[in-house]
Amino acid sequence: MSIDYSLYLAKERLPHLWCPGCGHGIILKNMLISMAEMEVPREKALLACGIGCSGRAGDYVNIHRFQGTHGRTLAYVTGIKMAHPELKTFCIMGDGDCSAIGIGHLIHAARRNVDVTAIVPNNLNYGMTGGQFPPLTPGESLTSTSRSGKAEPDMDLCRLAAEAGANYVARTTVYHVVEMKKRFIEATSNKGFSLVEVITPCPTYYGRYNQLGNAHEMIEWIKNKTVPLHKYEEMSVKNQEQHFWRGKLVEKHKPDLYTRYWQHERGMDHRA
């Protein structure tokens, strides 16, 4: 019998401060439900957050929590996990936090295979600071810093994490809530570095600038713009540029950093 997910929730801090129509609450709830289904003890769970809209997630949990400076959360988490490998550790970072200022830490956390589940809510812009474009904003998008369309190409954070060495990488959306929970459970059950990107609406800025309608219409837009990975790979490059793929990109089982450290650096078998 699974744990009641609401035990992980800091109910006294609700209602949350996210904008109406934001998907961050859906992502946090799915993370807590996945923890409940895995029966993670509350005192053995840590949520580390970055800066930005997603950084507020830590305010609403009743487990260990930590908020790092912009882009640096994974660096702090690496130290926390080496000192406390028994913690089931989740890290929520926004697309700007993770793919711009924090990109170096992401690459090295994946390369080191730190045992953490990194969840990246991708709302396609810097929502907290006025809708500027980060690297994950699709090309040609209108934002507060690209009023005639984003000239830069976007990047695929999932493929970058996979190339860097992550044990598990997947992408889903807030529309696909059942799939999202499944990906969170798979990622957390796989020891080592896992990354799940979740495409989520920001009707306040990205949706408004690009005339995507209200929250409901933006979720519908996300659904229609997203295709399973195997179908995406069959598309022409031009067609791929108009869509997001979703699915599981990588699943492997290399030893995580802590295990390698004790087994290879010191020749000891410790608490891993």
Side-chain angles (χ1 to χ4, degrees):
M1 185 177 185
S2 64
I3 298 171
D4 178 0
Y5 85 91
S6 66
L7 295 176
Y8 303 122
L9 197 60
K11 299 174 188 172
E12 71 279 9
R13 300 194 188 106
L14 297 176
H16 62 69
L17 294 176
W18 287 309
C19 298
C22 173
H24 284 52
I26 298 172
I27 296 170
L28 179 61
K29 182 176 180 179
N30 265 270
M31 189 197 85
L32 300 182
I33 291 174
S34 69
M35 289 171 55
E37 292 198 6
M38 291 186 291
E39 300 183 348
V40 178
R42 194 176 64 80
E43 66 278 9
K44 295 291 185 184
L46 167 71
L47 174 60
C49 296
I51 302 295
C53 300
S54 63
R56 292 192 179 278
D59 292 341
Y60 309 123
V61 297
N62 190 25
I63 59 178
H64 297 297
R65 62 193 178 100
F66 171 84
Q67 187 166 24
T69 49
H70 206 191
R72 317 299 183 203
T73 307
L74 283 173
Y76 296 119
V77 164
T78 299
I80 292 171
K81 280 296 295 187
M82 292 302 284
H84 293 283
E86 75 280 4
L87 290 177
K88 189 66 77 177
T89 303
F90 300 83
C91 188
I92 295 183
M93 304 166 288
D95 50 307
D97 191 27
C98 185
S99 70
I101 193 169
I103 191 70
H105 295 299
L106 171 71
I107 291 170
H108 291 295
R111 177 184 63 83
R112 292 172 175 140
N113 204 23
V114 181
D115 183 26
V116 57
T117 300
I119 298 171
V120 182
N122 179 7
N123 64 4
L124 311 174
N125 69 170
Y126 286 103
M128 179 167 281
T129 53
Q132 300 89 349
F133 68 82
L136 301 193
T137 302
E140 308 299 331
S141 294
L142 299 178
T143 71
S144 63
T145 47
S146 59
R147 303 307 297 268
S148 59
K150 184 189 172 195
E152 298 178 10
D154 54 327
M155 63 183 288
D156 190 326
L157 191 72
C158 290
R159 293 189 189 278
L160 179 66
E163 286 296 316
N167 255 4
Y168 181 95
V169 180
R171 179 188 290 157
T172 185
T173 82
V174 295
Y175 176 82
H176 301 90
V177 288
V178 175
E179 179 185 81
M180 188 197 314
K181 185 187 72 173
K182 176 184 176 184
R183 299 304 181 206
F184 288 169
I185 291 175
E186 288 176 347
T188 307
S189 301
N190 194 334
K191 196 174 181 63
F193 189 82
S194 298
L195 183 140
V196 182
E197 178 185 341
V198 185
I199 298 172
T200 180
C202 175
T204 301
Y205 288 112
Y206 190 84
R208 181 162 55 89
Y209 278 125
N210 292 279
Q211 301 183 354
L212 299 178
N214 58 30
H216 169 78
E217 290 166 329
M218 193 169 179
I219 288 181
E220 190 75 14
W221 175 82
I222 289 173
K223 181 189 77 170
N224 294 333
K225 292 281 285 186
T226 309
V227 297
L229 179 58
H230 69 277
K231 289 188 176 180
Y232 180 87
E233 291 176 338
E234 294 171 354
M235 290 177 164
S236 66
V237 173
K238 188 174 180 60
N239 205 8
Q240 286 179 345
E241 291 173 352
Q242 304 302 316
H243 292 83
F244 304 107
W245 62 263
R246 70 170 227 277
K248 182 163 54 179
L249 184 64
V250 169
E251 186 172 26
K252 52 191 178 184
H253 305 283
K254 294 185 305 179
D256 72 300
L257 174 64
Y258 185 86
T259 301
R260 288 174 61 88
Y261 180 81
W262 285 100
Q263 291 183 345
H264 298 278
E265 298 290 335
R266 293 191 176 183
M268 296 171 61
D269 188 8
H270 196 51
R271 294 174 288 174

